[in-house]
Amino acid sequence: MARSIKLANEAWEALHRAQATIAMELTEADIWGDLLPSEYGVLHALSNAPRGLRISELRDDALLITQPGMSRLVIRLEARGLVGREDDPDDARACRIRLTPAGAEAQRLVGRAVARHVAEAMTRALGPGDLAVLRDLTTGLLASARREGAGRAGGRAGERAGSGTQEPKNTTNTKNVKKRSTR
């Protein structure tokens, strides 16, 4: 048991440090145009949501932003004409945030640069097979965390699934994953 606790914590630390290092590198890159990385994150989330998203759903996508912070961010993007609000047909008390044509264009332009930078960072040490394994493992961790969170939060994560977002499936049998070379 002590060995599995130590290994789990070492794996978490390595995953966290790798993500934080690449995120810092990405944040500091000259790729954002006139957007902040957090603003781009909202535009990216909305680009994958044809029906738009509620602010609470956007908040679920950007875990480090509070609900009031997300509301202020949406107001800034709305003032710049990058997003708009419309009534939520499923809930008269709520509204959905959608990309405007200008927001969609800004997301596409910055998104291309972000995608290139992420690909460069991720392929420095990982090949296609390693990337597929990493994707599957982290997707499984995320799905598990969301299921656990749904149970503790009274189904809040389940509301998200109803928004057209599908929970990713872990297709990797972690018992059979062999250590692969990084080159």
Side-chain angles (χ1 to χ4, degrees), residues 51-54 57 84-86 88-89 95-98 163:
R51 293 184 46 216
L53 296 171
R54 294 178 181 184
E57 293 168 326
R85 297 173 194 251
E86 57 186 49
D88 187 335
C95 67
R96 298 187 82 73
I97 312 301
R98 296 185 76 173
S163 69

Side-chain angles (χ1 to χ4, degrees), residues 144-161:
S144 174
R146 286 183 174 160
R147 282 190 303 272
E148 287 294 315
R152 285 192 302 272
R156 182 171 169 224
E159 294 172 8
R160 182 175 166 81

Side-chain angles (χ1 to χ4, degrees), residues 58-69:
L58 280 169
R59 164 54 184 102
D60 287 346
D61 235 345
L63 299 175
L64 299 177
I65 299 177
T66 63
Q67 184 88 16

Side-chain angles (χ1 to χ4, degrees), residues 156-172:
R156 182 171 169 224
E159 294 172 8
R160 182 175 166 81
S163 69
T165 305
Q166 289 187 340
E167 289 296 327
K169 294 179 183 174
N170 181 4
T171 58
T172 303

